[in-house]
Amino acid sequence: MMDRSARAALDARTVVAPDYDALCDKVAAATSDWIVRHPGSLVCLAAGDTPLPVYHRLVARQQAGKVDLSSVFYAGLDEWVGLGRADRGSCLQVMSDGFYVPAGIPLDRRRVFDGLADPVAECRAMDQWIRARGGIRFTLLGIGLNGHIGFNEPGAPDQDGSIVVDLDDTTRAVSAKYFGATLPVRQGVSVSARSLLRAETVLLMASGAKKAPIVERLRSGAPVREVPAARLLDHPGLRLFLDRDAAGSVS
Ligand code: PGA
């Protein structure tokens, strides 16, 4: 359980937007402002449904001359093992079509996991990419219904660098919404929670009533082995962005 002062500290780092549109506006502004102030830094972006409109807003901000999105480097957060660019719902497809291509990010400014390659070799290559750029400095994350961040599932290895993870039942069930079908995904590759925790700025966003129970468990200090996102709670650079429906009892 979280004591009262820890809860107050978390409240101070929590932003509740009236609705999803307003939430995405706020996260896009925070992300864009950070990028403007940190050229040359490494950014790690999640590929879930929740942040997608944020990426569209970032592209719009670039078109309006407010940010140069190619001034930073990117590391993809995770990928389904066995899926590639041609598979609808792969992280590569979602992020390429939703962000990297419309934003015009050159290939030498981004690295994402290749779900069709050997997962262990992919982890090594990602770790090298991250190390060579001095580590991840900013990350934008979502939270899964099971409390995961990336594919840091409940009980996933707590180690440095990237990890190959057996997906849990919730994640496999949820996966159909991305693919438009049930695909036999069993494993994922992901930047580990420990590597994400090295970032100075961590934005965690959640939207919708379906996320309210996991947000409440997170905010009540659930154990990390049950809610992996709880690892972020002690991070001084954490900001929690919620819309009204995901915020539940948070005022
Ligand atoms: P979602 O995914 O944004 O599609 O809900 C979040 C997650 O599973 O990390």
Side-chain angles (χ1 to χ4, degrees), residues 47-51 78 142-145 148-150 174 177-178 210-211:
D49 282 344
T50 310
D78 54 8
I143 180 168
L145 289 174
H148 74 192
I149 43 173
V174 167
K177 78 165 177 165
Y178 304 113
K210 68 178 188 301
K211 292 284 173 73

